[in-house]
Amino acid sequence: LRKFNGDPTRWSTFWDLFEVSVHVNPTLSNIEKFSYLLSLLESLALEAVSGLSLTSAKFFINWASIL
């Protein structure tokens, strides 16, 4: 998967690939999915989520704030 830098014109492509590769993968925990997502962000996208904590309890809250 390619990294996402926050360019809104590239979001749909990034999300479609991330969704089929990671998000709907039943073998991954929520923490693993979120960790993969964070590892694929850079630049403005990474800055936007830099304050989010990587915890299971906050996964869905964090996920919603990214989308």
Side-chain angles (χ1 to χ4, degrees):
L1 293 172
R2 290 184 170 207
K3 292 197 173 212
F4 178 68
N5 66 4
D7 180 352
T9 64
R10 297 179 64 206
W11 171 252
S12 292
T13 300
F14 171 80
W15 175 252
D16 288 346
L17 292 171
F18 181 84
E19 185 174 34
V20 298
S21 302
V22 178
H23 186 63
V24 296
N25 185 336
T27 65
L28 297 173
S29 70
N30 288 342
I31 291 294
E32 289 171 312
K33 292 175 185 182
F34 194 55
S35 180
Y36 279 122
L37 178 63
L38 292 178
S39 74
L40 292 168
L41 300 179
E42 61 185 11
S43 189
L44 296 174
L46 184 58
E47 289 175 26
V49 298
S50 64
L52 301 179
S53 60
L54 185 62
T55 64
S56 185
K58 293 185 176 184
F59 171 77
F60 291 105
I61 295 169
N62 291 340
W63 196 261
S65 71
I66 292 171
L67 298 178

